[in-house]
Each structure stands twice: as structure tokens, then as C-alpha cells.
Amino acid sequence: MHSLLRAPSELHLDDVDTSATPGFDGGKSEGQAALAAGADRLSELQERLFAASTAGENRRVLLVLQAMDTAGKGGIVRHVVGAVDPQGVQLAAFKKPTPDELAHHFLWRIEQQLPAPGKIGVFDRSHYEDVLIGRVRQLAPADEIEQRYDDIVQFERRLVDSGISIVKVMLHISADEQKARLAERLERPDKHWKYRPGDIDERLLWNDYQRAYELAITRTDADHAPWFIVPADRKWFARLAVQSLLIDALEGIDPQWPVADFDVEVEKARLAAS
Amino acid sequence: MHSLLRAPSELHLDDVDTSATPGFDGGKSEGQAALAAGADRLSELQERLFAASTAGENRRVLLVLQAMDTAGKGGIVRHVVGAVDPQGVQLAAFKKPTPDELAHHFLWRIEQQLPAPGKIGVFDRSHYEDVLIGRVRQLAPADEIEQRYDDIVQFERRLVDSGISIVKVMLHISADEQKARLAERLERPDKHWKYRPGDIDERLLWNDYQRAYELAITRTDADHAPWFIVPADRKWFARLAVQSLLIDALEGIDPQWPVADFDVEVEKARLAAS
């Protein structure tokens, strides 16, 4: 599945079928069963990663989630990440930068939210906003945006060198699917809070955003910090795919239960006497 | 159930049956079914709380978990808190204070981890450590420990006034149950990482800790920041009880879906035209 999702060197998002399920033959019910089975595997790997960190192991995972509005980032966090122990997860949602954040380099606020050793870090939006909305809305001069791609590449290289396994995901939906999801938010009073009139303003720039994604992904894709384009019109598939990518990243680390740094027999005797 | 769990004004922990299931007639399988049903209710309330905060509502919940080692704090976080959207949870685990933390008032590090509006905050250990291990291990002069009870009462009063609903839980196990759980950690290589030789040192002070708990709970119990003694020898019951206390706190807030602050019909038209 993963090689099918990996961003190609020439990326044309309009040509990607957002309702496809690459690498998975089953339908929704099979997908949901696979997700439940994968949750157990992911949970075990997460616990091993956390356990290993208590013995000084430095490795960790960072999942970067980027997407157009309504593409399902929240659902990934809820249903994929939410299936593992919250004590092993470090979640960061990046919203519009504050004045304080804007006064710093754009990677400053990112740096502070990096996962600690043993944690699975999840970024709901990320430093990529600075070359997505940053580019589309011209929030910075063109040459500065240009510089940011290189800054990101160097930054991620450094993260990988420090023990972070990076998985970058674009949840890719069609404009029609977004329209249907926004319509549902407007239909249901219990979903109104998820809707902002600004969502339409961004939607009207759909094509500009797609081009900005293509550029950002092409400029920053690397074998050590790969981008995956996950078709997301089918929520169940997107969740299964991201879960599978996370499992793969953790299996790459292959965390082991730490060996006891105490004498087990001595401790058994102390416990018996207590 | 809740009134049966509420700490009495004269608390004698040795007289509490740690294997009891006060207020629940069923056994383990019924308890697990009730936990699964409660998870849906808790999830809905959590989402409502979060939604309400996006419209300026300030209310939030803080669950304080205290217990002897192995009593099951981690299991509560995993199985009760872990059942709701991680985006709505703010988890803080308080370990041995750092030199920097020790240089400040003992409530300084606590203040920084308080839940944001709309969040369910969970403290795995808390400011109560400063009157528990602080007292048992004489980490501060007696008169300072004495002062801390009053500081805590005033602090929690202020939190409640600022919109935080506080639920304080002592997971109460027997010394025999702890012995069995520590023995299991020593038997299983995949559990060795959870065991520290220092656990036995603390265990040898069992009675001192029980007295310190009684004193801390009695001095800081209040209707606005109540303490609950949850029998925890049966993990399924402890989880069910804490879930029920959380649901009760959220129902006390009764968070409502925010009313749209935009014209729904206008937005439907904008969406249709987009």
C-alpha cells in the first residue's frame, strides 16, 4: 500500500483519484475490521516505544497531517491516534500564528511541540501552513516563501538525525466531497460549530491551494521524510492508510522491551519480605 | 454510586473494603458492558464541552488521580480517558519535581498544566504529592507541609471560581493487591520496565502513606472540590466508577451545542455557488 501512496516526483493532484483505495481490495466493512485489528498492533508498538524510552532509547515518531478543510484530520486523530494510550501521544494543533509566534522564525513554534522520546507526535497542520496558506494568501514575500522550502528540508533532516521518524500525510479529497461535507455541517445544528464562513473563502481558492500543495510536497519529499498522498473521500480508507503508515514507521524503529536494570531475583525476595 | 464513594468527614482507609463495588450490583462482565456504554455518553459530553468552548464558554473539568503504586492510574487514563477524543483531553503527569520546579512555590508547576477551556484535564499525580510523599519523606518542614493544605484549599477554590469542575479520586488498593501486582511486573519481562526497586521502599512505608492520604483528603475535601475513595482492587470497577464521576461532572456543566454566529441560509447559498 505504502509505495502506492508515496508522492511521485511529478505530482498532479488533479489526476489522483480521491475515492480510490490503493493497495486495499476490500470495501468499507473489511476496512473497518482491518482498522480494528491494526489498532491492537499499533497499541503494542506504541507501548514498546514508550517502554524503550524509559531505558534511554531516543526514538520517536512524528505524524504530520495536512489537508484541505473537512478532509478528515480530526477523524484520523480520533479514530487512529485515539486508539492508542493517550499517555504515549503528543498532539499539537497549529492554528493561525499569534503575534508572538509571528515575531519568531516560522519553525520556532514547531520546534517546541516536537514529540519527546518514546512519544508518537501528531501535528494537526504544521510548518507546511507557512508554504501553503502562506503562499496562497501571500502572507510573506515570494523569496521568503522560497527560502522556507529549504529551511523545512534542513529542519526535517535534523529531526531525523535526532531520532524522529517522520511521516507526512496529505489527506486528499475532491472539491465535490468537500462541498458535501460542508453542506452537512450547515444542515446539522450540532455541526454548526465546526463551520466558519471563512471556509468558503478558502474553498474559492481551491486550485491555488492544490498548486501550493504540489509545490510544497515536491520540494520537501525525501526518503527520510516522505510524503504520502492519501485519498480521503472514503474516510474508512484514509484512516486505515494512515494507521498502516504509522505501524510501518514504528516497525522500522522496532522498539524492544527494555532489559531490567535491577536483579529480578533480589527484587522478588524484597517484595516477598515486604 | 457517587455518594457512596465520597470521602467521609472521618476517613479511616483501613476500614474501606478495597475489593467492594459500592453502588454497582453486577460483576465484571456487566461492569465492562457498562463501561462501553458509558464511553459513548462521555464522548458526547466531551465533544459538547469542546464545542461550547469555541463559542466562548469557559467551563472545563479537572480529574485529579492519586494512588499508591500499581493502583491503576495508568489504566484509568488508558481505558476511561482514552475512550474520548484525544483532542479534547489535556493530560499531565507529575513526577519528581525538577530543580527548576523546586525553586518555585509547589503550585507553580500545577498552574501551568491546568486544562484550557473546553478540555478535560487529567492529572496523573498532582499537587497532592507535596503533602503525601512530601509528608512521609519529610521533604519540607512540618509547618510548611501544614501550610500547604490551606494553600491547596484556596487554590482549588480559585480554580472552581474560574470555571473548572474538580473531581479528586484516590484509587484505593490493599497492600496485598499491590504485592500481587508488583509480583506480576517482576514475573513478566515485558512488564519489567514498569518496576522500579524504589517501589519497595515506598511500599515499606505503606501505613505512613495511608495516614498521609487520610490527612490530605480530610483537610482538602470540599463540596466544590470533592474527594472520592474508589475501591480499586477490581480494575473494572475502578474504571467504571471514575467514568461515572466524570460523566457526572460534565452533566453538571451540561454543555450545549453553540448557536451559529453566522446566517445559515446565506452560507448555504455561498456554498452552493462555490
Side-chain angles (χ1 to χ4, degrees), chain A:
Chain A
M1 179 192 285
H2 305 156
S3 59
L4 297 171
L5 299 175
R6 179 73 188 274
S9 55
E10 285 209 28
L11 177 62
H12 299 287
L13 285 170
D14 295 347
D15 298 341
V16 176
D17 180 357
T18 54
S19 65
T21 62
F24 190 75
D25 286 336
K28 183 172 180 176
S29 60
E30 290 89 350
Q32 290 173 330
L35 189 72
D40 292 337
R41 176 71 181 139
L42 185 59
S43 279
E44 196 209 326
L45 286 162
Q46 176 274 315
E47 193 182 356
R48 280 174 177 266
L49 184 74
F50 188 83
S53 76
T54 65
E57 172 61 61
N58 187 41
R59 300 291 294 274
R60 46 210 131 153
V61 172
L62 174 61
L63 172 66
V64 173
L65 294 173
Q66 286 289 158
M68 299 295 285
D69 285 334
T70 77
K73 288 189 282 80
I76 297 287
V77 175
R78 174 84 182 88
H79 297 282
V80 178
V81 179
V84 309
D85 191 335
Q87 294 161 105
V89 173
Q90 201 172 325
L91 187 60
F94 294 96
K95 304 192 187 298
K96 188 179 170 186
T98 63
D100 190 34
E101 289 169 344
L102 284 174
H104 290 81
H105 188 269
F106 76 101
L107 293 172
W108 176 76
R109 64 173 185 161
I110 308 297
E111 184 94 34
Q112 296 171 67
Q113 303 279 0
L114 293 173
K119 294 290 184 80
I120 297 176
V122 180
F123 283 179
D124 176 353
R125 304 185 190 276
S126 67
H127 42 301
Y128 285 97
E129 290 297 316
D130 295 279
V131 291
L132 292 168
I133 191 170
R135 183 177 195 92
V136 172
R137 292 286 188 183
Q138 299 179 317
L139 302 179
D143 59 341
E144 184 176 328
I145 300 282
E146 199 60 26
Q147 176 64 41
R148 288 179 183 172
Y149 300 114
D150 296 334
D151 288 350
I152 288 173
V153 169
Q154 289 184 26
F155 174 66
E156 293 181 350
R157 175 79 256 176
R158 176 163 64 79
L159 300 193
V160 170
D161 289 345
S162 75
I164 300 180
S165 299
I166 303 180
V167 178
K168 300 184 288 192
V169 168
M170 180 204 183
L171 299 174
H172 187 28
I173 56 170
S174 67
D176 284 349
E177 180 67 20
Q178 188 193 56
K179 193 172 204 168
R181 293 183 186 183
L182 287 172
E184 193 194 1
R185 291 184 180 179
L186 285 170
E187 282 303 328
R188 291 176 50 178
D190 64 332
K191 298 281 187 192
H192 282 167
W193 68 276
K194 293 189 173 187
Y195 181 90
R196 292 165 304 114
D199 293 347
I200 302 287
D201 301 324
E202 298 303 301
R203 176 174 167 76
L204 292 171
L205 299 168
W206 185 273
N207 288 328
D208 292 345
Y209 273 105
Q210 300 294 304
R211 299 297 84 75
Y213 267 103
E214 286 168 353
L215 199 53
I217 289 167
T218 305
R219 291 286 298 269
T220 63
D221 180 68
D223 284 343
H224 61 266
W227 268 108
F228 298 92
I229 313 298
V230 173
D233 283 1
R234 299 174 200 258
K235 291 178 182 174
W236 65 264
F237 175 75
R239 292 168 189 172
L240 184 63
V242 175
Q243 183 192 65
S244 176
L245 290 166
L246 272 179
I247 288 172
D248 196 51
L250 282 155
E251 287 181 339
I253 295 174
D254 191 23
Q256 300 298 314
W257 300 117
V259 175
D261 59 357
F262 48 83
D263 185 321
V264 175
E265 295 310 315
V266 166
E267 294 303 318
K268 282 183 182 175
R270 289 182 71 214
L271 177 61
S274 73

Side-chain angles (χ1 to χ4, degrees), chain B residues 59-73:
Chain B
R59 301 290 294 275
R60 47 209 130 154
V61 172
L62 175 60
L63 172 66
V64 174
L65 294 173
Q66 285 289 158
M68 299 296 284
D69 285 333
T70 77
K73 290 187 281 79

